Amino acid sequence: MASHLLIVDDEPAILDTLSGILQDEGYEVTSARDGQEALKLVKADPAPDLVLLDIWMPDLDGIETLRRMMEMRPRPLVVMMSGHGSIESAVKAIKLGAYDYIEKPLSLEKVTLLVRHALHERRLEQENRSLKERAARHIKMVGDGSVMKELRHQIEMAGPAPSRVLISGENGTGKELVARAIHLQSPRADRPFIEVNCAAIPETLIESELFGHEKGAFTGASATRRGQFELADGGTLFLDEVGDMSLATQAKVLRVLQEQRFQRVGGTKPIKVDVRVLAASNKNLAEEIRKGTFREDLYFRLAVLQIDAPPLRERREDIPALVEHFMQINMEEQGLRPRKFTPEALEVLARHDWPGNVRELRNLVERVVIMARGADIQGADVAPLVRQSGEIHPPQVPSAFDYASLKDARAAFEREYIGRKLREHGWNVSKTADDLKVERSHLHRKIKTLGIEVRPEN
């Protein structure tokens, strides 16, 4: 589809000449003889892709017309024209938001080249915006259950703070998503977010990866290279699987956190950086400290704030929303037709323990959408694929005869019954007490006696 240009000038000869030349170049051209008419055309649907706007016009001049155009959303792409050019008017137009400025008498070759470049740059901006929107959908935190509400609350608290954050959780729980969400809610959101997977980099290369190296520092170092700390300057550095770093590398990272400066491998010049460090691990770092494989002083530097990424088995109520989210991604990326998971299929998914967590669910959705034959995805389509990654574990209610005494059996029943009621009421103790027809104080005592873990009320 041809790009649509709007030419605004009070001289008919210029309108005719420019229109003819640009139409010959393959553009769709509309013209206006004053600012008021131009504003109406810019507001029309579809709006022009680019406006060539004269500065000197009667009534509403080009500068005031430009000012009003820049108040519109989205802003039009505007190139200013003037036969009475001056540095002052050019600077003023650019400050107001004009893309560029061209003087009369017009060079038709220069006009066509400028229009081509301006439209190309606008297309690149639109593609970049579209890519960012697609990337944002991929890092979206999906789910509105009580567990996810609490996680979002913790992220909202941690984001604006300058403190370092340690994110713990099993593989596949979305620790990177948590880190990116913290970054996006911080004052550094428009600065780089750099991720380093400490488990994926060989020990011999991780120091160069983190701190960079000078030319000739070691065999194969044919050029100076900036490290990830340097690339993240002003932004956020995410150290994923930090528990897999060697003690020697841990000591060097600790020094950087303390001093906010380092030297490249083979270098002598100190490099100062301003970096917020977020870290994540699927290991129990307290246990690693006891085993002597993780430095306690580094742990306390990293774990100023701590956030747990919950496993999927603790947020099963979010499975339908996650399935829908991954379905949409597959439709966009692979051009697959819309499919619907039946209630029976979702029930099969809800009964699975998900050892691979959200990552496992995403892979399963992609496989079942490709392999299922019917318009709707049935439980029979899902069950075989679930079993490939682990057995389905239906809810188990222990038999009363499995307990040694009546007291133990009664306590187990009450624990299961009260826990289920609390989940139904979103962990709200008051609502649960009303439902059970007991005093809130009595329910609190029961919860404490039975050792039921109650999540914070939202």
Side-chain angles (χ1 to χ4, degrees), residues 401-429:
F401 297 102
D402 293 337
Y403 297 97
S405 68
L406 177 61
K407 179 181 178 182
D408 291 342
R410 184 189 298 117
F413 171 79
E414 289 184 341
R415 188 182 298 109
E416 172 68 22
Y417 184 76
I418 293 173
R420 184 176 300 180
K421 287 295 183 181
L422 284 166
R423 287 192 293 273
E424 289 176 2
H425 293 289
W427 304 99
N428 187 306
V429 176

Side-chain angles (χ1 to χ4, degrees), residues 188 229 232-236 260 272-276:
R188 301 169 182 261
F229 266 98
D233 187 26
T236 302
Q260 288 284 294
K272 187 172 179 60
V273 291
D274 171 23
V275 176
R276 183 186 189 184

Side-chain angles (χ1 to χ4, degrees), residues 384-402:
L385 298 178
V386 169
R387 291 193 184 98
Q388 289 176 12
S389 56
E391 289 299 320
I392 300 173
H393 297 283
Q396 295 292 328
V397 179
S399 167
F401 297 102
D402 293 337

Side-chain angles (χ1 to χ4, degrees), residues 10 14 54 83 113 121 123 162 164 174 180 185-186 217 238 260 316 345 369 393 399 405 411 420 424 429 439 452:
D10 61 331
I14 291 179
D54 187 31
L113 186 62
E121 189 168 319
R123 278 193 294 272
R164 302 182 191 99
R180 287 185 180 275
Q185 297 201 33
S186 75
F238 175 48
Q260 288 284 294
R316 297 175 192 270
V369 167
H393 297 283
S399 167
S405 68
R420 184 176 300 180
E424 289 176 2
V429 176
E439 293 293 328
I452 298 173

Side-chain angles (χ1 to χ4, degrees), residues 148-167:
M148 287 302 292
K149 287 179 180 177
E150 174 60 21
L151 178 60
R152 287 194 181 92
H153 175 68
Q154 293 179 27
I155 291 170
E156 289 170 2
M157 298 294 288
S163 307
R164 302 182 191 99
V165 183
L166 177 63
I167 306 162

